Amino acid sequence: MSDGRKFLTAPRIVLIAALAGALAGAVAVYVTGGLDGNNPPAVADAAAEADRACAAKAEKAAALASLAVGEVAAMLPADPPRSLAGLSFNDPDGKPMTIAGLAGKTLLVNLWATWCAPCRAEMPALDSLQQQMGGDAFEVVAVNIDTGSDSKPKAFLSEIGVKTLGFYRDATMGVFNDLKRRSLALGLPVTLLLDAQGCLLASMNGPAEWAGEDARRLVEAAVGR
């Protein structure tokens, strides 16, 4: 594709999805480090309780799997669903936040960077999905993980005319590292579908056509419309 700003076509999405697993070792962003294992007992207990509550939603995650077709066929159901309420990054005002701060909304969380060509290509579609479906019940949370200042990612979003996506940010790549440790992120982009309590219902490594009918049907089912 010569212009990374254009929407991805369905044939390209299918091809990319098919190759994603085979190419993950070549194109993934790799990081070092592991779980520190130093969480206080009270924090660990709360996290375990949240995971148990999410695991009870396995039936909903399985039901969504039947809608992961066509342009979103690479979206895999969580097995089992788990809590990502503690996933952290900065809000559009530059202040630290977690997924728990968006409780009450179904979320499509997408990690992207300006140096990731598939990320750049799907950003207009994510903006379109937010414009069409965003509101009190649903939000696209696109988290930029470029290192350095905000100037480059902000300039890119302005250049392609993104108008509805909030500028969520993590210049430390901590959010990516967290997802990698949980075996949810192989590279970029990575997309997570979370329910209103921050439970992971499905995830995808690689791009998709988020402005298409397949994506809208999946989101509508997750929201419960």
Side-chain angles (χ1 to χ4, degrees):
M1 180 181 295
S2 60
D3 187 351
R5 294 172 290 170
K6 295 181 179 178
F7 285 6
L8 295 171
T9 61
R12 283 184 178 273
I13 289 296
V14 172
L15 177 60
I16 292 171
L19 294 175
L23 296 179
V27 302
V29 178
Y30 289 102
V31 295
T32 58
L35 295 171
D36 58 22
N38 293 324
N39 285 332
V43 174
D45 289 346
E49 183 177 351
D51 279 339
R52 285 193 293 271
C54 290
K57 302 180 181 183
E59 187 174 335
K60 181 175 183 180
L64 288 176
S66 65
L67 295 173
V69 298
E71 294 169 335
V72 293
M75 183 68 83
L76 302 176
D79 184 22
R82 58 186 124 162
S83 177
L84 293 183
L87 205 63
S88 61
F89 42 87
N90 288 344
D91 69 13
D93 293 323
K95 298 178 181 178
M97 64 165 290
T98 65
I99 288 294
L102 296 170
K105 288 185 178 184
T106 298
L107 305 175
L108 190 76
V109 180
N110 176 274
L111 270 59
W112 70 281
T114 58
W115 41 261
C116 164
C119 303
R120 293 170 67 96
E122 72 175 357
M123 200 55 53
L126 288 166
D127 188 49
S128 178
L129 180 62
Q130 173 63 20
Q131 185 175 24
Q132 295 172 34
M133 300 191 66
D136 293 339
F138 172 74
E139 183 176 352
V140 175
V141 179
V143 184
N144 174 263
I145 65 167
D146 279 55
T147 56
S149 73
D150 294 350
S151 58
K152 186 175 181 179
K154 281 187 172 181
F156 167 70
L157 294 176
S158 176
E159 177 187 348
I160 64 172
V162 165
K163 299 182 182 301
T164 59
L165 293 177
F167 186 65
Y168 294 96
R169 183 92 160 93
D170 180 14
T172 71
M173 286 186 64
V175 65
F176 177 86
N177 293 351
D178 190 354
L179 292 176
K180 185 173 185 290
R181 286 192 294 265
R182 298 171 190 251
S183 299
L184 292 172
L186 300 176
L188 291 178
V190 57
T191 306
L192 315 168
L193 183 59
L194 310 180
D195 74 2
Q197 289 74 47
C199 296
L200 176 69
L201 298 177
S203 64
M204 174 191 294
N205 277 269
E209 177 47 85
W210 295 109
E213 288 295 329
D214 294 328
R216 285 196 289 271
R217 280 193 293 267
L218 183 66
V219 169
E220 286 171 355
V223 173
R225 293 176 180 172

